[in-house]
Amino acid sequence: MNHLLPGFESQERVALLLSLTRISSPEVIAALTLHYTSALPAERAAARHGIELSNFMRGQKKLEQIAATVEAIKAIDWAKLQLTHLQSSSLLTTPLQPKQVA
């Protein structure tokens, strides 16, 4: 499953995801950023930055793996947030019971 959409990602998001990888080639980084921020096809982004398509694809695969991990973490956090919200709202709507004195 693709978690990144060419042309729909911000430069900041791509840069943050790339920072979680070991991709260090400026040309590969530039080609991936161009592809994901402008929707330029992979072949053209790779050619524009003078890299082999196979190197681009390897970087793309790694970037997708990182994006999948980030999305999984977000899903866990979202579920926890919803559970916390439900618990706090049920505490607010539950009527208080008077204390029983023995």
XYZ file of all heavy atoms in Angstrom:
786
model
N 0.839 -1.181 0.000
C 0.000 0.000 0.000
C 0.885 1.246 0.000
O 1.862 1.325 0.737
C -0.880 -0.014 1.242
C -1.678 1.228 1.419
S -2.669 1.126 2.915
C -3.747 2.471 2.612
N 0.534 2.199 -0.834
C 1.290 3.445 -0.895
C 0.735 4.431 0.119
O -0.466 4.683 0.166
C 1.222 4.046 -2.294
C 1.996 3.222 -3.288
O 2.874 2.453 -2.918
N 1.683 3.370 -4.553
N 1.628 4.985 0.915
C 1.238 5.967 1.918
C 1.572 7.381 1.481
O 1.105 8.330 2.080
C 1.934 5.657 3.247
C 1.492 4.358 3.836
N 0.329 4.215 4.533
C 2.046 3.129 3.793
C 0.189 2.964 4.916
N 1.224 2.285 4.467
N 2.380 7.489 0.457
C 2.767 8.790 -0.065
C 2.166 8.978 -1.446
O 2.224 8.075 -2.283
C 4.294 8.884 -0.152
C 5.041 8.724 1.169
C 6.539 8.654 0.927
C 4.709 9.860 2.104
N 1.604 10.143 -1.679
C 0.969 10.431 -2.963
C 1.782 11.467 -3.732
O 1.949 12.599 -3.251
C -0.448 10.960 -2.750
C -1.425 10.001 -2.088
C -2.733 10.708 -1.775
C -1.663 8.797 -2.972
N 2.301 11.087 -4.890
C 3.058 12.051 -5.690
C 2.231 13.301 -5.980
O 1.077 13.229 -6.392
C 3.364 11.285 -6.979
C 3.341 9.850 -6.556
C 2.260 9.774 -5.515
N 2.833 14.450 -5.706
C 2.161 15.717 -5.950
C 1.349 16.233 -4.785
O 0.894 17.372 -4.809
N 1.159 15.430 -3.758
C 0.325 15.836 -2.633
C 1.091 15.959 -1.318
O 0.502 16.231 -0.281
C -0.834 14.854 -2.440
C -1.868 14.966 -3.506
C -1.826 14.147 -4.623
C -2.879 15.913 -3.421
C -2.770 14.249 -5.622
C -3.832 16.021 -4.416
C -3.784 15.189 -5.519
N 2.392 15.748 -1.347
C 3.189 15.807 -0.125
C 3.915 17.149 -0.048
O 4.342 17.694 -1.057
C 4.216 14.671 -0.093
C 3.629 13.284 -0.269
C 2.627 12.890 0.802
O 2.695 13.417 1.932
O 1.778 12.036 0.505
N 4.031 17.662 1.156
C 4.777 18.909 1.339
C 6.271 18.607 1.395
O 6.675 17.486 1.723
C 4.346 19.606 2.633
O 4.777 18.856 3.759
N 7.060 19.616 1.084
C 8.513 19.444 1.161
C 8.925 19.123 2.591
O 9.823 18.319 2.808
C 9.231 20.700 0.674
C 9.257 20.821 -0.827
C 10.145 21.957 -1.287
O 10.117 23.048 -0.724
N 10.916 21.711 -2.324
N 8.253 19.728 3.545
C 8.592 19.492 4.951
C 8.342 18.039 5.341
O 9.170 17.415 6.002
C 7.782 20.430 5.844
C 8.130 20.299 7.311
C 7.312 21.235 8.177
O 6.125 21.461 7.887
O 7.880 21.711 9.174
N 7.197 17.490 4.923
C 6.882 16.097 5.248
C 7.899 15.146 4.610
O 8.386 14.222 5.251
C 5.467 15.755 4.787
C 5.061 14.311 5.049
C 3.584 14.096 4.690
N 3.230 12.708 4.579
C 2.879 11.933 5.592
N 2.850 12.426 6.811
N 2.568 10.660 5.399
N 8.214 15.377 3.337
C 9.191 14.528 2.647
C 10.549 14.629 3.335
O 11.213 13.615 3.573
C 9.282 14.882 1.149
C 10.399 14.104 0.469
C 7.953 14.622 0.452
N 10.943 15.836 3.705
C 12.236 16.024 4.371
C 12.266 15.301 5.723
O 13.272 14.670 6.069
C 12.523 17.511 4.561
N 11.185 15.371 6.468
C 11.132 14.683 7.763
C 11.190 13.167 7.583
O 11.896 12.473 8.324
C 9.880 15.082 8.536
C 9.897 16.491 9.119
C 8.516 16.875 9.654
C 10.947 16.606 10.212
N 10.461 12.649 6.617
C 10.507 11.209 6.357
C 11.897 10.783 5.905
O 12.420 9.754 6.348
C 9.449 10.814 5.321
C 7.996 10.907 5.784
C 7.046 10.739 4.608
C 7.713 9.882 6.860
N 12.505 11.575 5.037
C 13.857 11.264 4.578
C 14.856 11.286 5.732
O 15.814 10.519 5.746
C 14.298 12.238 3.482
C 13.693 11.989 2.105
C 13.888 13.197 1.197
C 14.291 10.737 1.479
N 14.615 12.140 6.724
C 15.535 12.214 7.864
C 15.515 10.931 8.689
O 16.444 10.673 9.455
C 15.199 13.417 8.751
O 14.029 13.179 9.521
N 14.485 10.130 8.526
C 14.380 8.853 9.244
C 15.014 7.706 8.469
O 14.990 6.571 8.930
C 12.908 8.538 9.537
C 12.187 9.549 10.433
C 10.707 9.215 10.518
C 12.822 9.594 11.812
N 15.551 8.005 7.304
C 16.207 6.980 6.480
C 17.715 7.203 6.495
O 18.196 8.186 7.064
C 15.728 7.039 5.017
O 16.261 8.209 4.397
C 14.205 7.030 4.905
N 18.412 6.304 5.841
C 19.858 6.468 5.681
C 20.191 6.952 4.275
O 21.344 6.879 3.850
C 20.546 5.146 5.981
C 20.400 4.778 7.461
C 20.864 3.406 7.778
N 22.311 3.292 7.590
C 23.015 2.228 7.923
N 22.414 1.193 8.457
N 24.311 2.194 7.724
N 19.200 7.449 3.566
C 19.430 7.980 2.220
C 20.253 9.254 2.370
O 19.845 10.184 3.065
C 18.099 8.264 1.498
C 17.289 6.975 1.339
C 18.346 8.934 0.150
C 15.870 7.177 0.847
N 21.409 9.281 1.715
C 22.290 10.436 1.864
C 22.636 11.121 0.542
O 23.160 12.233 0.546
C 23.585 10.029 2.577
O 24.260 9.039 1.829
N 22.336 10.474 -0.574
C 22.662 11.057 -1.873
C 21.795 12.292 -2.130
O 20.569 12.197 -2.173
C 22.422 10.025 -2.975
O 22.403 10.661 -4.238
N 22.433 13.454 -2.320
C 21.655 14.665 -2.597
C 20.783 14.530 -3.847
O 19.680 15.078 -3.896
C 22.713 15.749 -2.787
C 23.949 15.223 -2.151
C 23.862 13.726 -2.251
N 21.280 13.791 -4.844
C 20.520 13.618 -6.079
C 19.277 12.767 -5.848
O 18.197 13.073 -6.369
C 21.398 12.994 -7.168
C 22.530 13.874 -7.647
C 23.761 13.849 -6.734
O 23.823 12.997 -5.820
O 24.648 14.698 -6.937
N 19.405 11.692 -5.082
C 18.251 10.830 -4.789
C 17.246 11.599 -3.945
O 16.037 11.555 -4.202
C 18.694 9.517 -4.087
C 17.482 8.720 -3.614
C 19.554 8.677 -5.024
N 17.742 12.329 -2.957
C 16.853 13.132 -2.106
C 16.104 14.155 -2.945
O 14.886 14.321 -2.803
C 17.664 13.807 -0.978
C 18.138 12.741 0.016
C 16.855 14.891 -0.285
C 19.145 13.245 1.039
N 16.813 14.830 -3.834
C 16.179 15.846 -4.685
C 15.140 15.217 -5.614
O 14.052 15.771 -5.808
C 17.244 16.583 -5.489
N 15.471 14.059 -6.190
C 14.535 13.397 -7.105
C 13.284 12.926 -6.372
O 12.157 13.094 -6.867
C 15.226 12.216 -7.794
N 13.457 12.352 -5.192
C 12.298 11.898 -4.412
C 11.428 13.082 -3.991
O 10.200 13.030 -4.087
C 12.755 11.113 -3.175
C 13.329 9.732 -3.443
C 14.045 9.199 -2.206
C 12.237 8.768 -3.895
N 12.080 14.144 -3.556
C 11.331 15.342 -3.154
C 10.558 15.912 -4.335
O 9.370 16.249 -4.205
C 12.297 16.396 -2.568
O 12.980 15.827 -1.448
C 11.545 17.636 -2.125
N 11.200 16.003 -5.476
C 10.542 16.515 -6.676
C 9.337 15.647 -7.044
O 8.253 16.155 -7.340
C 11.539 16.568 -7.839
C 11.012 17.094 -9.167
C 10.560 18.546 -9.024
C 12.078 16.964 -10.241
N 9.525 14.349 -7.024
C 8.457 13.409 -7.383
C 7.248 13.565 -6.458
O 6.113 13.646 -6.916
C 8.994 11.980 -7.323
C 7.970 10.919 -7.514
N 7.285 10.743 -8.708
C 7.499 9.971 -6.668
C 6.445 9.735 -8.578
N 6.555 9.239 -7.349
N 7.493 13.621 -5.157
C 6.378 13.654 -4.209
C 5.756 15.028 -4.015
O 4.625 15.130 -3.565
C 6.812 13.073 -2.860
C 6.895 11.570 -2.910
C 8.111 10.919 -2.779
C 5.765 10.797 -3.124
C 8.198 9.537 -2.845
C 5.836 9.422 -3.202
C 7.053 8.799 -3.058
O 7.121 7.434 -3.135
N 6.481 16.071 -4.368
C 5.898 17.406 -4.209
C 5.299 17.968 -5.487
O 4.459 18.853 -5.433
C 6.939 18.405 -3.666
O 8.048 18.478 -4.558
C 7.399 18.005 -2.277
N 5.702 17.435 -6.640
C 5.214 18.006 -7.901
C 4.513 17.002 -8.813
O 4.024 17.384 -9.866
C 6.377 18.625 -8.678
O 7.214 17.604 -9.190
N 4.486 15.739 -8.426
C 3.867 14.666 -9.218
C 4.605 14.389 -10.525
O 4.043 13.765 -11.423
C 2.394 14.938 -9.481
N 5.844 14.830 -10.634
C 6.641 14.491 -11.810
C 6.858 12.977 -11.783
O 7.195 12.424 -10.740
C 7.985 15.218 -11.763
C 8.827 15.165 -13.021
C 8.142 15.948 -14.154
C 10.203 15.756 -12.754
N 6.624 12.288 -12.892
C 6.813 10.831 -12.893
C 8.218 10.435 -12.430
O 9.188 11.169 -12.633
C 6.586 10.444 -14.361
C 5.723 11.540 -14.909
C 6.156 12.791 -14.192
N 8.307 9.268 -11.819
C 9.564 8.781 -11.254
C 10.692 8.798 -12.283
O 11.815 9.226 -11.982
C 9.369 7.376 -10.695
N 10.406 8.339 -13.489
C 11.434 8.284 -14.529
C 12.004 9.670 -14.828
O 13.207 9.835 -14.993
C 10.858 7.675 -15.823
C 10.404 6.236 -15.691
C 8.992 6.088 -15.083
O 8.288 7.113 -14.875
O 8.617 4.948 -14.796
N 11.123 10.651 -14.903
C 11.567 12.010 -15.225
C 12.282 12.661 -14.052
O 13.256 13.396 -14.240
C 10.378 12.851 -15.678
C 9.857 12.344 -17.041
C 8.798 13.217 -17.636
N 9.277 14.572 -17.838
C 8.467 15.610 -17.958
N 7.163 15.458 -17.900
N 8.956 16.819 -18.138
N 11.810 12.395 -12.825
C 12.478 12.957 -11.642
C 13.889 12.390 -11.520
O 14.845 13.124 -11.230
C 11.669 12.661 -10.385
N 14.025 11.084 -11.763
C 15.349 10.447 -11.704
C 16.259 11.011 -12.799
O 17.420 11.359 -12.535
C 15.211 8.936 -11.851
N 15.740 11.126 -14.014
C 16.537 11.645 -15.126
C 16.943 13.098 -14.892
O 18.084 13.486 -15.170
C 15.753 11.529 -16.432
N 16.038 13.882 -14.365
C 16.331 15.298 -14.122
C 17.492 15.468 -13.149
O 18.252 16.429 -13.244
C 15.095 16.014 -13.598
C 15.348 17.506 -13.375
C 14.119 18.287 -13.083
N 13.279 18.335 -14.272
C 12.099 18.926 -14.299
N 11.622 19.489 -13.216
N 11.383 18.941 -15.399
N 17.617 14.531 -12.214
C 18.698 14.638 -11.218
C 19.857 13.689 -11.504
O 20.739 13.516 -10.671
C 18.130 14.438 -9.816
C 17.276 15.598 -9.406
N 17.806 16.798 -8.992
C 15.937 15.757 -9.401
C 16.827 17.649 -8.739
N 15.677 17.040 -8.979
N 19.847 13.070 -12.691
C 20.976 12.286 -13.154
C 21.242 11.011 -12.374
O 22.395 10.636 -12.189
N 20.169 10.358 -11.927
C 20.351 9.095 -11.201
C 19.657 7.966 -11.948
O 18.748 8.197 -12.754
C 19.813 9.165 -9.752
C 18.311 9.455 -9.723
C 20.588 10.189 -8.943
C 17.677 9.327 -8.368
N 20.121 6.764 -11.702
C 19.483 5.586 -12.295
C 18.099 5.396 -11.667
O 17.908 5.647 -10.479
C 20.322 4.337 -12.036
C 21.672 4.349 -12.709
C 21.558 4.258 -14.223
O 20.652 3.560 -14.721
O 22.391 4.889 -14.908
N 17.167 4.941 -12.481
C 15.817 4.696 -11.986
C 15.826 3.670 -10.851
O 15.065 3.799 -9.884
C 14.899 4.232 -13.118
C 13.423 4.026 -12.749
C 12.814 5.312 -12.193
C 12.630 3.540 -13.956
N 16.728 2.686 -10.924
C 16.793 1.675 -9.867
C 17.176 2.299 -8.523
O 16.657 1.895 -7.477
C 17.786 0.570 -10.237
O 19.088 1.103 -10.393
N 18.052 3.299 -8.544
C 18.413 3.985 -7.301
C 17.234 4.790 -6.762
O 16.997 4.836 -5.549
C 19.621 4.898 -7.507
C 20.889 4.111 -7.760
O 21.005 2.958 -7.366
N 21.832 4.741 -8.436
N 16.503 5.410 -7.668
C 15.302 6.144 -7.270
C 14.293 5.187 -6.639
O 13.740 5.474 -5.575
C 14.677 6.843 -8.485
C 13.401 7.563 -8.153
C 13.418 8.890 -7.786
C 12.172 6.902 -8.198
C 12.239 9.559 -7.465
C 11.001 7.545 -7.877
C 11.026 8.887 -7.514
N 14.073 4.066 -7.284
C 13.074 3.104 -6.798
C 13.468 2.533 -5.436
O 12.612 2.311 -4.581
C 12.873 1.974 -7.812
C 12.388 2.439 -9.173
S 10.847 3.366 -9.121
C 9.699 2.042 -8.878
N 14.739 2.293 -5.227
C 15.218 1.795 -3.934
C 14.926 2.840 -2.839
O 14.436 2.514 -1.766
C 16.711 1.483 -4.013
C 17.250 0.777 -2.795
C 18.676 0.276 -2.924
N 19.564 0.977 -3.844
C 19.869 0.559 -5.077
N 19.369 -0.561 -5.557
N 20.694 1.260 -5.832
N 15.197 4.098 -3.137
C 14.890 5.178 -2.193
C 13.404 5.318 -1.960
O 12.950 5.524 -0.827
N 12.632 5.169 -3.021
C 11.180 5.264 -2.914
C 10.630 4.146 -2.026
O 9.764 4.384 -1.188
C 10.567 5.196 -4.310
C 9.074 5.407 -4.326
C 8.528 5.373 -5.745
O 8.993 4.595 -6.582
N 7.552 6.216 -6.010
N 11.154 2.948 -2.195
C 10.703 1.810 -1.388
C 11.000 2.051 0.095
O 10.146 1.815 0.951
C 11.390 0.529 -1.871
C 10.966 -0.706 -1.127
C 11.659 -1.947 -1.671
C 11.269 -3.178 -0.870
N 11.959 -4.376 -1.328
N 12.186 2.550 0.385
C 12.561 2.824 1.770
C 11.686 3.926 2.353
O 11.237 3.843 3.498
C 14.044 3.208 1.849
C 14.539 3.401 3.246
C 14.400 2.119 4.043
C 14.869 2.294 5.464
N 14.565 1.141 6.293
N 11.436 4.958 1.573
C 10.600 6.063 2.032
C 9.180 5.588 2.326
O 8.571 5.997 3.320
C 10.607 7.176 0.978
C 10.296 8.578 1.452
C 11.228 9.018 2.547
C 10.363 9.544 0.291
N 8.650 4.711 1.494
C 7.319 4.138 1.722
C 7.283 3.301 3.000
O 6.306 3.324 3.732
C 6.877 3.291 0.532
C 6.374 4.085 -0.644
C 5.030 4.770 -0.400
O 4.291 4.385 0.532
O 4.722 5.694 -1.162
N 8.365 2.547 3.272
C 8.426 1.752 4.500
C 8.390 2.659 5.730
O 7.682 2.375 6.701
C 9.698 0.893 4.530
C 9.693 -0.244 3.544
C 11.060 -0.932 3.458
O 12.082 -0.392 3.867
N 11.061 -2.141 2.908
N 9.136 3.733 5.677
C 9.158 4.685 6.789
C 7.785 5.331 6.951
O 7.280 5.466 8.068
C 10.255 5.759 6.577
C 11.638 5.118 6.600
C 10.133 6.886 7.593
C 12.041 4.504 7.925
N 7.160 5.723 5.845
C 5.835 6.338 5.899
C 4.817 5.359 6.492
O 3.944 5.758 7.268
C 5.398 6.801 4.512
N 4.924 4.082 6.159
C 4.021 3.071 6.707
C 4.192 2.958 8.220
O 3.201 2.849 8.966
C 4.267 1.716 6.046
N 5.430 2.999 8.686
C 5.685 2.946 10.127
C 5.105 4.170 10.825
O 4.466 4.049 11.876
C 7.207 2.846 10.393
O 7.704 1.674 9.758
C 7.507 2.795 11.875
N 5.298 5.339 10.247
C 4.754 6.569 10.826
C 3.230 6.500 10.888
O 2.615 6.855 11.894
C 5.232 7.806 10.036
C 4.472 9.053 10.447
C 6.731 8.005 10.222
N 2.602 6.019 9.823
C 1.142 5.904 9.803
C 0.649 4.903 10.845
O -0.391 5.102 11.469
C 0.647 5.525 8.410
C 0.823 6.615 7.374
C 0.110 7.915 7.727
O -1.022 7.866 8.257
O 0.691 8.985 7.474
N 1.389 3.810 11.055
C 1.011 2.825 12.077
C 1.085 3.450 13.469
O 0.209 3.215 14.308
C 1.912 1.598 11.985
N 2.114 4.240 13.711
C 2.239 4.933 14.998
C 1.085 5.910 15.180
O 0.488 5.994 16.266
C 3.600 5.652 15.099
C 4.730 4.622 15.174
C 3.642 6.598 16.293
C 6.114 5.215 14.988
N 0.755 6.643 14.126
C -0.367 7.585 14.200
C -1.678 6.866 14.498
O -2.505 7.364 15.265
C -0.471 8.383 12.902
C 0.605 9.435 12.761
C 0.701 10.063 11.399
C -0.580 10.532 10.787
N -0.388 11.173 9.473
N -1.880 5.687 13.922
C -3.106 4.919 14.166
C -3.196 4.482 15.628
O -4.271 4.539 16.239
C -3.163 3.699 13.243
N -2.071 4.063 16.185
C -2.050 3.676 17.603
C -2.373 4.883 18.474
O -3.199 4.800 19.392
C -0.674 3.085 17.983
C -0.480 1.732 17.306
C -0.524 2.962 19.498
C 0.944 1.218 17.370
N -1.739 6.009 18.193
C -1.989 7.219 18.972
C -3.429 7.684 18.839
O -4.049 8.121 19.812
C -1.034 8.339 18.548
C 0.397 8.083 18.965
O 0.623 7.185 19.806
O 1.295 8.772 18.439
N -3.977 7.601 17.646
C -5.358 8.025 17.413
C -6.326 7.142 18.197
O -7.254 7.641 18.817
C -5.666 7.991 15.925
C -7.069 8.422 15.611
C -8.067 7.641 15.129
C -7.630 9.730 15.753
N -9.210 8.381 14.967
C -8.979 9.665 15.343
C -7.112 10.949 16.197
C -9.825 10.785 15.372
C -7.963 12.052 16.216
C -9.295 11.955 15.805
N -6.110 5.830 18.187
C -6.970 4.915 18.927
C -6.899 5.209 20.424
O -7.923 5.199 21.120
C -6.575 3.472 18.645
N -5.706 5.476 20.918
C -5.529 5.788 22.336
C -6.230 7.102 22.676
O -6.883 7.211 23.717
C -4.042 5.878 22.664
C -3.752 6.107 24.119
C -2.257 6.117 24.376
C -1.951 6.399 25.831
N -0.505 6.468 26.067
N -6.119 8.081 21.818
C -6.766 9.370 22.034
C -8.281 9.213 22.064
O -8.959 9.789 22.921
C -6.351 10.361 20.948
C -6.958 11.754 21.043
C -6.441 12.466 22.276
C -6.634 12.551 19.796
N -8.815 8.427 21.140
C -10.260 8.208 21.115
C -10.731 7.500 22.377
O -11.767 7.838 22.936
C -10.661 7.406 19.882
C -10.604 8.210 18.613
C -11.027 7.405 17.406
O -10.685 6.233 17.303
N -11.770 8.021 16.514
N -9.986 6.496 22.823
C -10.341 5.767 24.030
C -10.317 6.693 25.235
O -11.239 6.684 26.053
C -9.388 4.590 24.243
C -9.640 3.738 25.480
C -11.023 3.086 25.418
C -8.574 2.675 25.618
N -9.297 7.520 25.331
C -9.198 8.479 26.425
C -10.364 9.452 26.380
O -10.965 9.760 27.410
C -7.859 9.241 26.351
O -6.796 8.306 26.376
C -7.710 10.219 27.493
N -10.701 9.904 25.197
C -11.817 10.836 25.033
C -13.133 10.175 25.448
O -13.950 10.787 26.139
C -11.899 11.328 23.595
C -13.038 12.256 23.347
N -13.075 13.528 23.853
C -14.191 12.084 22.667
C -14.216 14.098 23.492
N -14.903 13.243 22.768
N -13.351 8.940 25.029
C -14.570 8.228 25.403
C -14.648 8.016 26.905
O -15.706 8.168 27.510
C -14.651 6.883 24.682
C -14.964 6.924 23.199
C -14.874 5.520 22.594
C -16.345 7.501 22.965
N -13.548 7.652 27.506
C -13.541 7.436 28.949
C -13.824 8.736 29.691
O -14.610 8.755 30.633
C -12.199 6.856 29.398
C -12.008 5.419 29.002
C -10.614 4.903 29.315
O -9.686 5.682 29.503
N -10.469 3.593 29.338
N -13.230 9.822 29.283
C -13.444 11.085 29.981
C -14.857 11.599 29.759
O -15.475 12.141 30.673
C -12.423 12.128 29.550
O -12.592 12.476 28.198
N -15.421 11.398 28.570
C -16.788 11.869 28.337
C -17.801 10.999 29.068
O -18.828 11.484 29.514
C -17.109 11.941 26.847
O -17.043 10.665 26.262
N -17.521 9.695 29.241
C -18.452 8.856 29.995
C -18.394 9.194 31.474
O -19.390 9.096 32.176
C -18.170 7.367 29.771
O -16.959 6.994 30.374
N -17.259 9.639 31.971
C -17.163 10.073 33.363
C -17.964 11.342 33.584
O -18.567 11.535 34.633
C -15.702 10.321 33.756
C -14.814 9.092 33.926
C -13.368 9.524 34.170
C -15.298 8.228 35.066
N -17.987 12.190 32.567
C -18.717 13.443 32.698
C -20.225 13.245 32.616
O -20.983 14.010 33.187
C -18.262 14.430 31.621
C -16.809 14.897 31.715
C -16.465 15.764 30.508
C -16.568 15.660 33.001
N -20.676 12.229 31.898
C -22.116 12.029 31.717
C -22.716 11.046 32.705
O -23.924 10.908 32.776
C -22.406 11.527 30.288
O -21.713 10.295 30.075
C -21.987 12.550 29.258
N -21.885 10.368 33.490
C -22.404 9.431 34.477
C -22.862 10.226 35.689
O -22.090 10.999 36.255
C -21.306 8.424 34.910
O -20.813 7.781 33.755
C -21.840 7.418 35.905
N -24.132 10.044 36.098
C -24.601 10.791 37.259
C -23.869 10.327 38.525
O -23.526 9.165 38.664
C -26.088 10.453 37.344
C -26.274 9.249 36.500
C -25.142 9.189 35.528
N -23.625 11.284 39.378
C -22.952 10.959 40.623
C -23.908 10.246 41.563
O -25.071 10.635 41.699
C -22.418 12.225 41.290
C -21.331 12.973 40.530
C -21.012 14.286 41.240
C -20.085 12.122 40.407
N -23.447 9.235 42.205
C -24.250 8.487 43.165
C -23.966 9.036 44.555
O -22.813 9.231 44.926
C -23.899 6.978 43.112
C -24.129 6.337 41.765
C -25.604 6.303 41.389
O -26.459 6.149 42.243
N -25.888 6.480 40.119
N -25.020 9.285 45.327
C -24.775 9.776 46.682
C -24.079 8.703 47.522
O -24.296 7.530 47.323
C -26.160 10.071 47.229
C -27.110 9.344 46.340
C -26.404 9.128 45.023
N -23.216 9.172 48.403
C -22.537 8.236 49.298
C -23.538 7.649 50.269
O -24.425 8.346 50.759
C -21.442 8.952 50.094
C -20.179 9.182 49.362
C -19.136 9.699 50.324
C -17.778 9.686 49.696
N -16.770 10.151 50.621
N -23.398 6.385 50.517
C -24.269 5.719 51.489
C -23.585 5.763 52.845
O -22.441 5.383 52.967
C -24.552 4.283 51.057
C -25.285 4.256 49.739
C -26.177 3.065 49.613
O -26.170 2.203 50.468
N -26.948 3.039 48.562
N -24.313 6.247 53.814
C -23.781 6.341 55.167
C -24.245 5.129 55.942
O -25.443 4.830 55.955
C -24.229 7.649 55.854
C -23.699 7.725 57.274
C -23.822 8.840 55.026
N -23.372 4.428 56.602
C -23.749 3.226 57.345
C -24.205 3.549 58.736
O -23.940 4.470 59.371
C -22.602 2.252 57.391
